[in-house]
């Protein structure tokens, strides 16, 4: 008998048994709404003049990937250690977390990742193009010039930087005092730019002739000379011996001079220079008084700096304008005119004198800091030139008889700040690269394709065709965050020197934070609009239609089964998905 | 927040649950926690359909489909059969709807847990007889529209407190859980798995179709039920030891009600009354758990 006939008879089951899965039901056909991954733009990154990918930086910090976080910043800004200290951080002002409890301490984390890299002597791994033909001259080694050279070098261009002073850095080197920006921090950042092959020629003042002759060696010149001409007060006595300009005073102090000051010292003005001069004077023994013709809220200086100055003991006299400076046995006699607000239009109030109301004060020294302008006419973008192309933070001029000129930094930027200077250097590099590759007419459209959100901030990562190009420019609003996934937690408190310690000298005021604090702060970030791989979308899918994948997203939606319920989209804590008509 | 939930699934795509089905999500989480050594009893309910028409099954564990009222009895029998075979490893689970638990299956359930049968009974609660077209059950909450409490005849009776009914049987473990809190849910299932005797889990599972809510809100609304104290997360050991697992942040019940079509007829007055009922239930639970009211931040 055959084997088959011997086998026992399989009994018919008493109840029917299933033996296949449901996978042959393609329930995707039910769908009329379709979820998809759709990374968007965080408000902080759009507000950052340098367009840093902050949502991603904070995600990397929270994951302990400090080097990657630092490199992500370096994609967009060569100065994280500087900006983490001195940038006025408009990013934090628009942080979505502000609506929940407190804004993320973005600048503190920026400084933390940079300081960590500095401490361990880490070199960044950042892609660079091979060297190509055109050479670019950069006039001025302030943040705008150095940023232009940095981005151009990464794009493969040879750059020579010409600097009038003995050391590079511009205002970062000679203006901002040590208690806010230690010199080794600046040198470390500049060293990295040099290591890209950028030559910085110090003690090399460039004149207008250079623009005429540069064509032999350079295809373009970036002009980032800053605003270094002191603006006159236009009052009698302002040129008396010992009445000093603010910027040169700061320069002296940064060069190591420690002039002995005592008694009341008047500082005239309301900008960053006035505030830093007053704080330096305080450290040198004076009792500084800032005399400002408008009110505190009208001062162009950054609010945080004003607050620190007042805390340290600087006095502020609002609504007083100087009329005259005269010699006096104890120094100078300062005649002041009382002012009043005439109109509130615009960013700063309009003021007018109150007739008959004046006062006098005797001070040991007067420091003028009412503002600065371009030193020479050729440094400024020509008005109304047909070949002038104005971008957000730069102005470009094409000439028939010489290299292309790009004006940047304080000479052309939307605002006078370090981050805007960096933004202009980046914009210049994108514009010049586009010009060299695709011609003049391509500049505007190619640059505007790199906007972060609605702009004007630009992303070099986007210019280079990186992952960030896929971001939706839609800026995520607080209402679009699923706050069920976040717990209240206070913003980190920046450790600082005590007021008494600060005014003893020029030591850095803001102290380091620990890695533990940095991690905790970064974890507070919503990571608005970007996927941090939390996996909620996959977890909650009732149809098991979200699958792991080795694509950059990390997962994909299987539309064979996705019924379009939209649970994944609503449960994404950070609005990195979208639900739309199928 | 990173959710620490096991990666493996014991359920397949292609099931026929409605888009956004909370009961499907509940089953996914349950099986992630239990693993493949599980035998399941499913009395008549939506899940009888979701699991797939013969010869399909969407679950990768054995399922016995049984009559509506028999969840407790059939599980007792399977447990006895496994014991006879010497299989102590397999967990027997009854997976029933609220109708099959609160109403028609209550006798079999009560009998089984009174005998302290060694199994887990899970009620996935969608607050009505959904499979047959949204008829009210004793789990349907006060204020809800169903097809048998239509228009102005909306349900004016309170929802039965099923966990307290089970606690009264002094079973080793009874707990509530929600699809919006997967970590808590998975932890409770694992905990239940490690206990011998009768264990009862009451899982809140939103139903977009029956509740008249947008499918994408399925989890959000389940979460709000917890945040408003309408469905508190707690567990009770041996009928006496209460632990509250989630302390609310003071959300008002109206936020939860106004998102759902089944409650759209309710007036402000009705909502105030409901808020009072919810507060009362919550305070009762706090007393049982020995938590002071001020510590819990009750909604005034
Ligand atoms: C006191 C002070 C404090 C400030 N604090 C802050 C702050 O905290 N945060 C912030 O964001 N911004 C701050 N700012 C503003 C910020 O520093 C400037 O906006 C920024 O430095 C502008 O950069 P830049 O490259 O355009 O010019 P600069 O930094 O001014 O650099 C220009 C450089 O060009 C060189 N140069 C000029 N002419 C020639 C020439 N003919 N040939 C060769 N080299 C030349 C100069 O020597 C200088 O090194 C501050 C400004 C001042 C004055
Ligand atoms: C004895 C009996 N009566 C009625 C039915 C019809 N029936 C099947 S499922 C169901 C409703 C089940 O409701 P519930 O237990 O809440 O589960 P849901 O469908 O809501 O998931 C009913 C009434 C039945 N199968 N058996
Ligand atoms: S929460 Fe994070 S990503 Fe969102 S705005 Fe604030 S810093 Fe940017
Ligand atoms: S839910 Fe999490 S994993 Fe899914 S897209 Fe959003 S952030 Fe990414
Ligand atoms: Mg039901």
């Amino acid at each position: 008998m055959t084997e088959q006939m011997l086998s026992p008879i399989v009994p018919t089951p008493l109840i029917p048994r299933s033996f296949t899965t449901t996978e042959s039901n393609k329930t995707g056909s039910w769908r009329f709404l379709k979820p998809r991954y759709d990374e968007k733009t965080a408000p902080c990154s759009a507000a950052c003049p340098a367009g840093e990918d902050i949502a991603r930086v904070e995600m990397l910090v929270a994951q302990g990937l400090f080097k990657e976080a630092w490199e992500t910043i370096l994609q967009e800004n060569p100065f994280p250690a500087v900006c983490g200290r001195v940038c006025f951080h408009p990013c934090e002002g628009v942080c979505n977390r502000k609506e929940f409890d407190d804004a993320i301490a973005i600048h503190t984390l920026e400084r933390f990742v940079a300081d960590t890299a500095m401490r361990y002597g880490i070199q960044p791994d950042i892609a660079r193009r091979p060297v190509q033909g055109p050479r670019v001259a950069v006039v001025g080694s302030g943040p705008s010039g150095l940023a232009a050279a940095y981005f151009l070098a990464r794009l493969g261009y040879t750059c020579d930087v010409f600097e009038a002073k003995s050391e590079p850095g511009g205002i970062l080197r000679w203006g901002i005092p040590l208690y806010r920006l230690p010199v080794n921090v600046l040198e470390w950042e500049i060293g990295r730019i040099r290591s890209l092959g950028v030559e910085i020629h110090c003690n090399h003042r460039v004149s207008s002739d250079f623009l005429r002759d540069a064509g032999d060696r350079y295809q373009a010149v970036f002009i980032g000379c800053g605003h270094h001409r002191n603006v006159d007060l236009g009052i009698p006595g302002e040129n008396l011996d010992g009445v000093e300009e603010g910027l040169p005073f700061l320069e002296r102090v940064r060069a190591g001079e420690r002039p002995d000051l005592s008694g009341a010292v008047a500082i005239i003005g309301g900008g960053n220079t006035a505030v830093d001069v007053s704080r330096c004077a305080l450290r040198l023994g004076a009792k500084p008084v800032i005399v400002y013709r408008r009110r505190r809220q009208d001062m162009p200086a950054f609010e945080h700096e004003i607050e620190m100055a007042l805390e340290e003991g600087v006095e502020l006299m609002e609504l007083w304008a100087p009329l005259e400076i005269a010699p006096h046995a104890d120094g100078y006699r300062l005649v002041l005119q009382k002012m009043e607000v005439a109109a509130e239009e615009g960013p700063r109030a309009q003021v007018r004198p109150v007739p008959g109301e004046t006062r006098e004060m005797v001070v040991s020294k007067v420091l003028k800091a009412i503002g600065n302008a371009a030193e020479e006419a050729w440094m400024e973008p020509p008005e109304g030139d047909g070949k002038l192309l104005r971008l957000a933070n730069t102005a470009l001029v094409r000439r028939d008889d010489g290299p292309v000129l790009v004006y940047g930094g304080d000479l052309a930027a939307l605002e006078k700040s370090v981050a805007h200077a960096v933004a202009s250097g980046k914009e210049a590099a994108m514009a010049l690269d586009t010009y060299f590759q695709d011609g003049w007419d391509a500049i505007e459209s190619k640059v505007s394709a790199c906007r972060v959100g609605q702009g004007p901030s630009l992303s070099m990562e986007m210019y280079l065709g990186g992952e960030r190009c896929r971001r939706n420019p839609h800026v995520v609003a607080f209402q679009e965050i699923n706050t069920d996934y976040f717990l209240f937690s206070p913003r980190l408190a920046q450790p600082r020197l005590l007021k008494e310690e600060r005014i003893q000298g020029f030591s850095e005021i803001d102290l380091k934070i620990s890695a533990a604090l940095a991690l905790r702060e970064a974890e507070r970030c919503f990571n608005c609009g970007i996927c941090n791989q939390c996996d909620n979308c996959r977890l909650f899918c009732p149809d098991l239609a979200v699958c792991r994948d080795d694509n950059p997203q990390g997962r994909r939606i299987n539309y064979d089964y996705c019924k379009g319920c939209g649970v994944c989209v609503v449960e994404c804590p950070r609005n990195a998905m979208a639900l739309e008509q199928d | 927040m990173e959710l620490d939930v096991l990666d493996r699934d014991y359920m397949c795509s292609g099931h026929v649950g409605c888009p956004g089905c909370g009961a499907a999500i509940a089953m996914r989480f349950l099986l992630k926690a239990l693993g493949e050594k599980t035998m399941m009893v499913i009395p008549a309910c939506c899940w009888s359909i979701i699991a797939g028409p013969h010869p399909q099954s969407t679950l990768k564990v054995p399922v016995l489909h049984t009559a509506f009222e028999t969840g407790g009895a059939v599980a007792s029998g399977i447990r006895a059969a496994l014991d006879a075979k010497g299989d102590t490893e397999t967990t027997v689970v009854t997976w029933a709807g609220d109708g099959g638990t609160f109403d028609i299956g209550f006798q079999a359930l009560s009998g089984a847990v009174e005998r302290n049968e060694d199994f887990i009974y899970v009620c996935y609660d969608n607050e009505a007889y959904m499979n047959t077209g949204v008829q009210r059950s004793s789990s349907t909450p006060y204020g809800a529209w169903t097809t048998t409490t239509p228009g102005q005849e909306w349900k004016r009776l309170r929802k039965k407190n099923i966990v307290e009914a089970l606690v009264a049987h002094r079973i080793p473990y009874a707990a509530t859980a929600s699809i919006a809190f997967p970590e808590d849910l998975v932890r409770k299932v694992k905990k239940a798995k490690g206990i011998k005797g009768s264990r009862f889990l009451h899982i809140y599972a939103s139903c977009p179709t029956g509740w008249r809510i947008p499918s994408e809100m399925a989890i959000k609304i389940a979460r709000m039920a917890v945040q408003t104290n309408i469905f508190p997360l707690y567990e009770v050991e041996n009928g006496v030891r209460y632990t509250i697992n989630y302390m609310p942040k003071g959300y008002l019940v109206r936020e939860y009600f106004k998102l759902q079509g089944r409650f759209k007829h309710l007036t402000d007055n009705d909502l105030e009354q409901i808020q009072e009922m919810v507060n009362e239930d919550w305070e009762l639970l706090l007393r049982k758990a020995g938590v002071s009211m001020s510590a819990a931040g009750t909604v005034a």
Side-chain angles (χ1 to χ4, degrees):
Chain A
M1 277 199 284
T2 64
E3 220 180 293
Q4 200 178 5
M5 294 176 76
L6 272 174
S7 66
I9 296 159
V10 180
T12 322
L14 294 172
I15 47 173
R17 274 177 65 176
S18 291
F19 48 82
T20 67
T21 76
T22 48
E23 277 165 351
S24 57
N25 311 331
K26 296 289 173 0
T27 50
S29 63
W30 304 11
R31 187 179 58 241
F32 55 91
L33 288 177
K34 187 175 186 176
R36 66 179 175 89
Y37 292 104
D38 182 30
E39 288 199 314
K40 305 186 184 68
T41 304
C44 50
S45 61
C48 168
E52 289 174 20
D53 195 355
I54 296 164
R56 187 175 158 76
V57 170
E58 309 316 21
M59 176 190 89
L60 293 168
V61 175
Q63 293 169 348
L65 300 173
F66 302 153
K67 175 172 185 267
E68 289 78 356
W70 177 57
E71 287 166 346
T72 305
I73 302 175
L74 288 178
Q75 289 281 359
E76 308 295 351
N77 183 346
F79 291 114
V82 168
C83 286
R85 289 173 162 82
V86 306
C87 180
F88 64 110
H89 41 78
C91 52
E92 293 181 25
V94 299
C95 172
N96 275 334
R97 180 92 196 195
K98 205 175 60 168
E99 315 272 317
F100 188 68
D101 44 22
D102 293 311
I104 304 299
I106 299 171
H107 76 285
T108 313
L109 293 173
E110 180 175 31
R111 172 180 161 185
F112 169 80
V113 293
D115 282 3
T116 304
M118 178 162 65
R119 179 159 176 189
Y120 294 107
I122 295 169
Q123 294 303 314
D125 295 309
I126 290 198
R128 266 190 86 178
R129 282 212 209 126
V131 175
Q132 36 198 352
R135 297 171 68 91
V136 180
V138 173
V139 186
S141 69
S144 69
L146 290 176
Y150 168 80
F151 288 111
L152 284 164
R154 279 178 49 198
L155 291 171
Y157 299 99
T158 307
C159 293
D160 292 321
V161 180
F162 299 99
E163 168 57 51
K165 301 230 160 80
S166 60
E167 303 273 353
I171 299 288
L172 303 180
R173 181 68 183 74
W174 300 110
I176 299 180
L178 290 170
Y179 53 80
R180 298 208 282 129
L181 180 59
V183 76
N184 66 313
V185 171
L186 178 66
E187 277 170 358
W188 177 65
E189 305 239 68
I190 295 178
R192 239 187 4 257
I193 297 172
R194 282 197 164 112
S195 71
L196 291 173
V198 171
E199 295 278 350
I200 306 175
H201 307 276
C202 289
N203 299 313
H204 193 129
R205 174 170 284 276
V206 158
S207 68
S208 57
D209 300 344
F210 179 81
L211 301 189
R212 194 187 59 221
D213 307 333
D216 306 343
R217 278 179 299 146
Y218 301 104
Q219 277 66 45
V221 179
F222 178 88
I223 304 167
C225 298
H227 280 173
H228 290 261
R229 181 171 57 81
N230 304 305
V231 175
D232 287 341
L233 283 170
I235 59 169
E238 70 170 303
N239 295 321
L240 283 173
D241 219 25
V243 174
E244 203 174 335
E245 292 290 349
L247 216 44
F249 172 78
L250 289 175
E251 198 175 321
R252 281 212 285 149
V253 174
R254 273 220 75 162
E257 282 182 47
R258 293 289 178 265
D260 221 356
L261 301 184
S262 62
V265 168
I267 296 100
I268 297 165
N272 283 311
T273 308
V275 174
D276 274 330
V277 165
S278 74
R279 294 174 74 187
C280 285
L282 183 84
R283 284 161 173 76
L284 294 168
K287 287 166 77 73
V289 185
I290 295 178
V291 179
Y292 184 49
R293 61 201 305 267
R294 296 188 177 85
R295 302 160 305 177
R296 174 171 173 181
Q297 64 262 46
D298 304 313
M299 286 170 73
F302 303 135
E303 173 54 32
H304 172 76
E305 300 304 319
I306 303 172
E307 200 183 304
M308 298 282 275
L310 298 185
E311 201 181 301
E312 288 169 5
V314 171
E315 207 185 306
L316 172 64
M317 286 174 62
E318 299 168 89
L319 293 168
W320 287 102
L323 284 182
E324 186 190 342
I325 306 170
H328 185 274
D330 296 323
Y332 305 89
R333 185 172 55 89
L334 194 59
V335 185
L336 302 174
Q337 164 70 54
K338 181 72 190 167
M339 308 296 282
E340 65 181 5
V341 174
E344 288 275 14
E345 292 133 43
R348 289 195 263 157
Q350 302 298 308
V351 289
R352 63 174 170 229
V354 181
E357 210 180 313
T358 60
R359 65 175 278 189
E360 292 185 8
M361 60 193 283
V362 175
V363 293
S364 64
K365 189 171 178 63
V366 180
L367 285 150
K368 299 187 289 176
I370 60 159
N372 295 86
E375 264 176 320
E376 293 171 50
W378 63 265
M379 295 174 182
E380 298 216 71
E383 289 295 330
D385 189 311
K387 287 171 191 153
L388 179 84
L389 176 59
R390 264 223 166 261
L391 301 176
N393 287 300
T394 52
L396 282 81
V397 178
R398 185 164 55 151
R399 302 179 306 166
D400 301 328
D401 55 347
V404 171
L405 304 182
V406 190
Y407 301 81
D410 281 356
L411 296 171
L414 285 166
E415 274 184 61
K416 293 214 245 173
S417 86
V418 177
H420 284 88
V422 168
S424 82
K426 188 195 298 187
E427 193 174 64
M430 288 178 179
L432 287 176
D433 182 55
T434 305
Y435 169 65
F436 294 141
Q437 310 268 341
D438 306 313
W440 186 262
D441 294 335
I443 294 177
E444 259 186 297
S445 67
K446 225 175 150 192
V447 168
S448 68
C450 306
R451 283 193 184 149
V452 177
Q454 300 308 316
S457 304
L458 301 173
S459 161
M460 184 54 84
E461 186 186 340
M462 285 162 77
Y463 185 79
L464 294 171
E467 281 295 317
R468 234 181 141 182
C469 293
R470 297 186 311 160
R471 299 269 173 90
N472 186 329
H474 173 81
V475 173
V476 176
F478 174 66
Q479 291 70 26
E480 295 171 315
I481 297 293
N482 186 341
T483 51
D484 288 332
Y485 289 98
F486 301 94
L487 299 171
F488 294 118
S489 105
R491 175 183 163 112
L492 70 71
Q494 171 70 53
R496 290 209 170 100
L497 291 183
L498 296 176
K499 193 183 76 186
E500 295 73 21
E501 295 169 316
R502 281 188 226 159
I503 59 178
Q504 294 303 315
F506 289 80
S507 307
E508 182 164 28
I509 294 170
D510 285 0
L511 303 175
K512 289 194 171 60
I513 60 161
S514 68
L517 268 184
L519 284 168
R520 206 174 69 198
E521 185 64 14
E523 276 168 7
R524 295 178 64 237
C525 173
F526 294 150
N527 308 123
C528 301
I530 70 151
C531 173
N532 76 346
Q533 307 294 321
C534 76
D535 223 17
N536 265 9
C537 46
R538 192 167 74 97
L539 177 71
F540 284 112
C541 176
D543 293 291
L544 297 98
V546 181
C547 319
R548 280 240 170 84
D549 196 285
D550 50 19
N551 64 19
Q553 210 306 315
R555 51 192 66 65
R556 78 191 151 81
I557 296 169
N558 184 343
Y559 293 112
D560 278 352
Y561 300 113
C562 166
K563 294 169 186 161
C565 71
V567 163
C568 53
V569 177
V570 171
E571 294 314 312
C572 174
R574 46 206 110 251
N575 196 11
M577 297 186 74
L579 190 61
E580 45 199 36
Q581 296 287 330
D582 201 2
Chain B
M1 181 175 63
E2 293 272 338
L3 294 169
D4 175 25
V5 177
L6 304 170
D7 216 34
R8 197 180 295 279
D9 275 299
Y10 298 89
M11 193 172 141
C12 304
S13 293
H15 67 70
V16 293
C18 300
C21 174
I25 299 173
M27 177 67 92
R28 248 192 101 185
F29 293 159
L30 177 96
L31 287 179
K32 274 175 182 291
L34 288 178
E36 76 188 325
K37 281 284 183 189
T38 303
M39 275 192 191
M40 197 162 273
V41 175
I42 303 187
C45 59
C46 280
W47 251 100
S48 312
I49 307 302
I50 300 171
H54 177 76
Q56 296 181 339
S57 175
T58 202
L59 299 183
K60 297 177 185 168
V61 299
V63 176
L64 188 61
H65 288 281
T66 74
F68 200 10
E69 61 277 37
T70 64
V74 172
S76 306
I78 292 183
R79 182 70 264 165
L82 288 171
D83 287 346
K85 288 178 68 183
D87 178 344
T88 51
E89 225 187 312
T90 303
T91 309
V92 177
V93 178
T94 297
W95 177 266
D98 48 291
T101 305
F102 288 57
D103 299 342
I104 193 169
F106 190 68
Q107 177 273 131
L109 166 61
S110 175
V113 303
E114 187 269 338
R115 298 189 302 275
N116 198 21
E117 296 283 357
D118 186 21
F119 79 127
I120 304 178
Y121 190 106
V122 185
C123 171
Y124 72 92
D125 187 2
N126 53 24
E127 303 195 317
Y129 291 67
M130 293 308 182
N131 185 40
T132 42
V134 203
Q135 293 85 19
R136 65 85 106 181
S137 74
S138 58
S139 169
T140 301
Y142 182 97
W145 160 93
T146 65
T147 54
T148 48
T149 54
Q152 276 312 305
E153 303 301 309
W154 50 269
K155 189 176 170 191
R156 285 187 173 77
L157 296 167
R158 277 171 114 134
K159 176 180 174 118
K160 182 192 284 181
N161 190 332
I162 195 71
V163 174
E164 292 308 311
L166 270 295
V167 165
H169 289 72
R170 294 280 183 117
I171 58 175
Y173 187 65
T176 64
S178 164
I179 54 169
F181 293 81
E183 266 173 310
D184 178 73
L185 189 154
V186 165
R187 182 185 63 78
K188 285 170 175 166
V189 175
K190 284 187 177 167
K191 180 167 176 179
K193 189 183 174 188
I195 295 173
K196 248 187 112 59
S198 299
R199 294 141 278 168
F200 181 80
L201 289 173
H202 182 199
I203 303 184
Y204 185 94
S206 35
C207 171
T209 314
W211 295 4
R212 305 293 191 252
I213 59 171
S215 57
E216 68 270 23
M217 297 297 277
I219 297 290
K220 180 93 187 160
I221 285 173
R223 187 180 296 111
M224 290 180 84
V226 175
Q227 290 168 332
T228 53
N229 289 340
I230 288 169
F231 191 86
L233 295 181
Y234 69 106
E235 52 196 325
V236 189
E237 279 152 289
N238 300 315
V240 287
R241 230 190 80 171
Y242 282 72
T243 310
I244 298 176
N245 310 112
Y246 178 93
M247 282 298 169
K249 301 191 186 97
Y251 289 81
L252 297 173
V253 297
R254 73 171 61 242
E255 303 298 318
Y256 169 83
F257 278 81
K258 76 179 182 208
L259 290 174
Q260 303 182 45
R262 63 175 170 155
F263 296 121
K264 70 164 190 278
H265 49 271
L266 297 178
T267 63
D268 282 352
N269 253 342
D270 298 329
L271 289 172
E272 266 166 47
Q273 214 180 324
I274 291 170
Q275 180 73 63
E276 272 167 37
M277 290 192 252
V278 168
N279 289 354
E280 187 183 85
D281 287 350
W282 173 244
E283 282 159 21
L284 188 60
L285 177 63
L286 288 177
R287 276 208 294 282
K288 289 178 185 167
V291 180
S292 78
M293 225 93 83
S294 56
T298 309
V299 179

